[in-house]
Amino acid sequence: PRTSPSCVGLSEAMKSWMLLIANLAIASAVKCTDAPDCVSCLGSNGTTPYGPTCGWCAQNVTLGTISAHCVDLYSTFDCFDTFSTDTCEVGWECDHKTKQCTSKLGGQANKSKCNEQCAHPSPPPPSPPKGKYRCTLTATDPITGAPPSGKCEACNSTSSGQCEYPDQSACTAGCPKYSCNMTTLQCTPSPFGDPTLTQCQAHCKELWVCDGAKQQCTMSKTSNGTTFPDNTSCSAQCHPHSVPYELRGIWRGLELHNGYKPGEWLGNITNDSISLYEPNTDGSYTTYIEGTAYAITTGPQYVLVVPNSKGKLSGQVRLLTHDFSMGTEVGTYFNMAIDESATTQALADFDIAMTKPTGKVLGMETCPVGKPPVPAKFKCDTATNTCVQDPSGSFPSITDCEKECSHKPPPCHAKLDIVLLLDGSASISPSAWQTGLQFVNDLISGFEIGPDDSAVGAVQFSSNTLTISKLTTDKVALKKAVSSTIQMKMDTNTGAGFYAAKTMLDTQGRKGVNSSLVILITDGKANEGPSASVAADAIKAEKNHQIFGIGVGPSVDVSELEGWVSLPKSDHFFKSPDWSQLHKILDDILRKACPPSPPPPTAAAQWIHDASFLSAQVKAARRLDEQLGKPEDFKLCKFYLPANLPAANKAEAISPFKPSGVLAAESAPTGDDCNIFPTCDKCIGQHQGGKTCGWCTGSLTYKSAGKVKFQCAGKEKGSTSSQWNCTDHFQTTTCAAPTSCGLDGIYRGLRIDHGYAIGEWSASFTPSGVSETADFSFLSPDGKVKSTISGTMACTQKCGGKNATPFTLDVGGKIMHGLCGFTDQNQAETTGLYIALSPMGVATPPPSWDAALNNTNNATLYTYWKCADYKKGTCVFSKP
């Protein structure tokens, strides 16, 4: 029968629709590996012609064989260079004709590496065994529109793609795989991807992404940034939370970035606050960051947020941080980075800050013992007029303390009766008069006033006298009376003033005072009234009465004033060129009027210098560890913050290289019992006649006997020691032949044992055959070498791992013993090294890291950091 026109039209439309589906199916079969360049691979203007799951590798990726640069993210591959999924960065690509690298989008980041590989290309890795079957996809069914399905094909010499299956049954079981279309969030059959549809669907969905700036979680189809499978896990890390425990503690560290300044940084971080102190070249510290803080987790890293810092960096501050395990002695090492030109924006990685002129990267370490420290409080140390850290202090920050403390004279703690005698003559201008009244009140503030301290009165004199205040212990009322005093503006009757002061002391003075003082402030000569000299002598004739004189301005008769004051004149007479500069002599007057008793040593100074105090601190630390249920932590390090942060830290470093006369010439020997041991293995470790026996690898020469055939000799000890010389190595711990320690380059570090002093150390090693030339230096705050020791360093084996390797350091013929070992940790920019040293004269290295930590036999312990080999150019250390 004939077909109706309407039926013919419908048939043609259906054919067109089926053809469109077929074409789409062919287009969908386009693979990432077909992309010719980076822009095509990643797409542009919102289009992804080769699929939304493509990534670009700057070098050919390994897909069973050396393959294309563009690869599906769900395939199995290795990329050994820069890999990108969003943008094509300008890099370098090899022109194999010229064997030179030229600029190209999506090329290698490192031009030198590209040129090296271009000039000397590596042979491709051997291809893995080729399977016999591969998985391909059928086309979309043009009639039913059914999606593609998997199909197993036998491989032959012309087959393209991965032949990964050894037989047809394995291929049937694994074909097809499923890949996620991130645009539609649908899983479709694919020759590569997840082995099952269920596994694909588990991750083929919208992801939760943390917006760190807004501290909010939002859903996204892209995987840029840190992503989470659900809102709960995203919120737990995106929203602000307490500073992680790993970052809490007392921290010590160094700058690492290019152009770094030497000096030890200090920090105190709690669950909700941070104080970070920057070293100055004069040994003092500046508060760099201080304020409340919280953390935002970004993958394995943290962003520490200080909403309102009060230090050198003020306002909101965001620091990129990452913590690492440190090793056997120091609890945690972390890196901290910030861009000082954009403190409200957290950096993406540490390398940016390492090379950016405004970037700063710190390497910091802390100790694992004890609880997090209490947030610092400060008080004004009136004995030194500086701010010190004290739990009982009333100031929440060093900045607040210094505002009050720096201008406050040190109060005098003594029982004194004091009369302030103030010249009110007409030669003093109104402004100078007000300055003088303020000075009098500052002078009053310099004394502790009370029943068991000082009582102060005040008298104004001109042609006659006026009592401003009788002797009183009410400081508030006294200052109020002084501030409201009206100037008399007449002549200068100094004699009458002295008699008024004497009368006040005679009639109102208290019993049992240490001394009675009259403090005169005048701008000129006495020009009327009774003799000022006679009146002054009457005061000085009284027991424990003294006169202090302050002359202000050019009209003062110095010889006249010096005749009035008590002796010695240098302690009782003071001169100021004008009223505006009176404050400059205030502290000197107070020190002379009330010599303070020497302040007791601070805890920091005692920790460094006082062995008995150190012992007490160690015992207290042991008790603390036991209370915490961690007695094994006793041998871990213990850091402290200096008591005078951020004022100048004047504590001197203890040199680990104590001088000793042990190897010096001594009395002639009476015999060396160690000579009886014929071989090294029998000699090492023996003790004969009070001597420790050691093996000389060269020739022994005794002062009394000359050169001998023996090689085992007694190490000197006491006044009856043998006296001899060894022409080569003298070993007391091992018979192994000295060898290189495997150290090379420049290290920077800190001393961390219980007797450490604040400050940076430097170590440099230059290999020389089976030894190294080693330099250990302690730096002053300005980065200059303060003390150093140099010698030839040799080990029993190469330093490595956490196990301590013994070494000797030959310092001009005198041997020091030590331990070396790497910290075996990952750091963002550096690698770590431990060094433990016994002082000169101790014949063995420290028994262990813990022994050095506890200063056993005065041993010392250090952590050093060196720029990691793979960070050359980014991290650069220099020898001081």
Side-chain angles (χ1 to χ4, degrees):
R2 297 185 61 178
T3 305
S4 68
S6 61
C7 289
V8 172
L10 180 61
S11 176
E12 293 299 326
M14 183 174 290
K15 289 179 181 179
S16 299
W17 181 75
M18 291 179 179
L19 182 60
L20 176 62
I21 292 177
N23 290 334
L24 288 174
I26 294 172
S28 67
V30 173
K31 301 186 293 294
C32 296
T33 51
D34 296 332
D37 54 52
C38 181
V39 174
S40 301
C41 175
L42 302 183
S44 60
N45 300 322
T47 63
T48 52
Y50 292 90
T53 61
C54 296
W56 181 263
C57 181
Q59 285 188 291
N60 282 25
V61 297
T62 302
L63 283 164
T65 61
I66 296 297
S67 184
H69 290 270
C70 192
V71 30
D72 192 289
L73 297 178
Y74 292 102
S75 63
T76 302
F77 65 92
D78 295 305
C79 177
F80 300 106
D81 207 298
T82 305
F83 189 79
S84 179
T85 61
D86 52 1
T87 58
C88 296
E89 301 292 341
V90 176
W92 303 91
E93 184 176 73
C94 176
D95 183 336
H96 294 286
K97 292 182 180 180
T98 63
K99 292 191 175 182
Q100 293 290 324
C101 288
T102 57
S103 176
K104 185 171 181 179
L105 282 175
Q108 292 179 245
N110 190 315
K111 183 179 181 181
S112 298
K113 180 180 177 182
C114 179
N115 282 330
E116 175 65 23
Q117 293 174 344
C118 193
H120 307 285
S122 301
S127 301
K130 191 172 183 180
K132 295 181 178 180
Y133 286 84
R134 64 173 182 167
C135 177
T136 62
L137 294 182
T138 64
T140 301
D141 191 305
I143 303 299
T144 65
S149 61
K151 182 176 71 173
C152 289
E153 290 182 350
C155 293
N156 53 46
S157 58
T158 62
S159 296
S160 61
Q162 290 180 279
C163 294
E164 56 182 313
Y165 300 103
D167 52 51
Q168 188 167 11
S169 60
C171 179
T172 302
C175 180
K177 293 185 172 71
Y178 294 87
S179 63
C180 176
N181 184 322
M182 295 302 295
T183 302
T184 63
L185 295 180
Q186 296 291 320
C187 288
T188 57
S190 171
F192 40 76
D194 292 303
T196 68
L197 179 61
T198 302
Q199 288 177 301
C200 176
Q201 290 174 336
H203 63 77
C204 189
K205 57 185 179 181
E206 286 190 309
L207 301 171
W208 288 89
V209 181
C210 173
D211 185 333
K214 297 180 180 179
Q215 299 172 9
Q216 293 179 346
C217 290
T218 57
M219 295 188 73
S220 174
K221 293 181 180 180
T222 64
S223 57
N224 293 334
T226 303
T227 59
F228 303 88
D230 52 64
N231 189 28
T232 302
S233 57
C234 178
S235 298
Q237 297 195 34
C238 184
H239 295 171
H241 53 83
S242 297
V243 176
Y245 186 82
E246 296 83 5
L247 302 183
R248 303 176 196 175
I250 294 174
W251 295 87
R252 304 171 58 209
L254 304 172
E255 293 183 11
L256 304 180
H257 50 270
N258 292 356
Y260 66 84
K261 293 188 301 182
E264 178 177 339
W265 283 68
L266 298 168
N268 184 9
I269 302 178
T270 71
N271 66 312
D272 61 359
S273 68
I274 178 173
S275 298
L276 195 60
Y277 304 100
E278 179 181 18
N280 300 318
T281 57
D282 61 356
S284 64
Y285 278 84
T286 297
T287 302
Y288 186 71
I289 294 173
E290 183 175 74
T292 57
Y294 60 85
I296 295 176
T297 305
T298 58
Q301 300 174 335
Y302 304 100
V303 173
L304 282 186
V305 182
V306 185
N308 189 22
S309 173
K310 298 296 185 181
K312 178 180 176 180
L313 299 187
S314 59
Q316 187 184 111
V317 175
R318 290 177 177 251
L319 303 113
L320 176 67
T321 58
H322 196 317
D323 65 287
F324 305 87
S325 60
M326 185 62 181
T328 57
E329 304 305 320
V330 179
T332 303
Y333 173 95
F334 81 63
N335 287 117
M336 178 181 288
I338 191 169
D339 180 357
E340 292 185 333
S341 66
T343 58
T344 60
Q345 301 295 319
L347 290 164
D349 61 57
F350 294 101
D351 282 355
I352 296 174
M354 286 293 290
T355 55
K356 192 172 185 178
T358 56
K360 191 179 292 292
V361 178
L362 302 181
M364 306 285 283
E365 59 190 15
T366 190
C367 293
V369 69
K371 298 178 180 178
V374 176
K377 290 186 178 181
F378 299 87
K379 75 173 184 179
C380 181
D381 182 353
T382 55
T384 61
N385 211 27
T386 58
C387 290
V388 297
Q389 187 174 319
D390 191 300
S392 64
S394 58
F395 297 100
S397 72
I398 191 70
T399 305
D400 294 330
C401 178
E402 286 182 334
K403 289 178 181 178
E404 296 292 328
C405 189
S406 58
H407 301 294
K408 187 181 295 183
C412 173
H413 293 274
K415 193 170 184 178
L416 304 171
D417 283 344
I418 306 168
V419 176
L420 301 174
L421 193 56
L422 182 59
D423 183 352
S425 59
S427 58
I428 300 172
S429 69
S431 61
W433 175 253
Q434 293 300 320
T435 302
L437 294 181
Q438 180 59 53
F439 175 76
V440 170
N441 276 336
D442 288 342
L443 198 58
I444 292 170
S445 297
F447 295 90
E448 285 292 340
I449 295 179
D452 296 321
D453 291 298
S454 295
V456 182
V459 173
Q460 180 188 180
F461 69 92
S462 185
S463 291
N464 47 37
T465 63
L466 173 68
T467 298
I468 298 172
S469 171
K470 65 179 183 178
L471 281 177
T472 180
T473 56
D474 187 340
K475 183 182 286 190
V476 175
L478 174 62
K479 285 188 170 184
K480 185 176 181 180
V482 169
S483 297
S484 60
T485 300
I486 298 174
Q487 184 181 1
M488 299 171 74
K489 295 184 180 180
M490 291 183 285
D491 290 332
T492 308
N493 189 348
T494 311
F498 277 137
Y499 280 120
K502 183 178 185 302
T503 299
M504 183 176 289
L505 291 173
D506 290 344
T507 59
Q508 301 174 25
R510 301 170 299 169
K511 294 182 179 181
V513 296
N514 301 113
S515 185
S516 296
L517 313 180
V518 175
I519 301 178
L520 167 68
I521 306 171
T522 182
D523 78 327
K525 302 177 182 179
N527 57 20
E528 73 165 298
S531 168
S533 296
V534 173
D537 289 343
I539 294 175
K540 292 182 288 184
E542 300 277 353
K543 184 178 180 179
N544 293 329
H545 282 42
Q546 302 177 64
I547 296 177
F548 291 80
I550 303 170
V552 185
S555 300
V556 171
D557 187 330
V558 174
S559 60
E560 182 182 57
L561 237 175
E562 287 181 335
W564 297 338
V565 302
S566 299
L567 299 176
K569 295 176 184 177
S570 59
D571 287 349
H572 292 81
F573 172 68
F574 305 90
K575 182 80 167 63
S576 175
D578 55 58
W579 291 90
S580 65
Q581 298 188 55
L582 266 175
H583 65 280
K584 295 182 179 180
I585 62 173
L586 180 62
D587 287 351
D588 196 25
I589 295 170
L590 289 166
R591 278 192 293 270
K592 299 296 175 60
C594 177
S597 57
T602 64
Q606 285 178 320
W607 180 275
I608 295 169
H609 295 293
D610 190 334
S612 62
F613 184 83
L614 175 59
S615 176
Q617 290 290 310
V618 171
K619 290 178 181 178
R622 184 196 293 275
R623 289 194 298 270
L624 173 62
D625 294 339
E626 291 171 349
Q627 292 169 7
L628 293 171
K630 296 182 178 180
E632 72 279 2
D633 280 351
F634 168 66
K635 292 185 178 180
L636 296 174
C637 67
K638 307 172 195 304
F639 288 172
Y640 63 89
L641 291 176
N644 59 346
L645 272 177
N649 177 12
K650 299 179 181 179
E652 295 293 330
I654 297 178
S655 172
F657 320 116
K658 293 189 175 180
S660 172
V662 170
L663 295 179
E666 298 176 354
S667 59
T670 57
D672 190 343
D673 295 333
C674 290
N675 292 158
I676 64 174
F677 300 107
T679 61
C680 180
D681 59 326
K682 294 181 178 179
C683 172
I684 294 292
Q686 296 292 337
H687 298 274
Q688 292 289 321
K691 305 177 182 70
T692 299
C693 300
W695 188 259
C696 175
T697 60
S699 300
L700 277 175
T701 302
Y702 285 84
K703 184 176 182 180
S704 60
K707 188 174 181 179
V708 297
K709 63 179 180 179
F710 310 113
Q711 288 183 273
C712 188
K715 198 83 168 76
E716 294 97 329
K717 183 178 182 181
S719 59
T720 61
S721 302
S722 302
Q723 187 175 21
W724 44 262
N725 287 315
C726 173
T727 59
D728 204 348
H729 291 277
F730 184 73
Q731 300 167 212
T732 60
T733 59
T734 177
C735 292
T739 187
S740 169
C741 299
L743 300 177
D744 184 16
I746 299 169
Y747 288 77
R748 301 170 58 220
L750 302 169
R751 180 175 162 183
I752 64 169
D753 55 76
H754 289 171
Y756 76 84
I758 298 293
E760 179 177 340
W761 285 80
S762 172
S764 62
F765 305 96
T766 304
S768 178
V770 295
S771 63
E772 285 90 4
T773 299
D775 297 301
F776 297 95
S777 300
F778 181 66
L779 308 185
S780 60
D782 60 1
K784 296 179 181 178
V785 175
K786 193 171 185 179
S787 61
T788 190
I789 188 167
S790 300
T792 301
M793 183 176 175
C795 291
T796 58
Q797 62 183 16
K798 293 187 184 298
C799 299
K802 298 178 183 177
N803 296 325
T805 298
F807 70 82
T808 58
L809 187 67
D810 186 338
V811 184
K814 295 184 178 181
I815 304 298
M816 296 182 66
H817 296 267
L819 302 173
C820 63
F822 295 108
T823 57
D824 281 350
Q825 59 175 314
N826 294 317
Q827 300 177 4
E829 305 293 335
T830 52
T831 57
L833 172 72
Y834 283 134
I835 292 287
L837 277 172
S838 293
M840 192 80 77
V842 176
T844 58
S848 65
W849 299 127
D850 282 347
L853 190 69
N854 283 301
N855 304 117
T856 303
N857 295 327
N858 293 318
T860 50
L861 181 64
Y862 308 80
T863 55
Y864 284 102
W865 310 320
K866 175 188 176 183
C867 289
D869 291 340
Y870 70 96
K871 290 292 184 178
K872 287 183 178 178
T874 301
C875 179
V876 180
F877 288 173
S878 58
K879 186 175 180 179

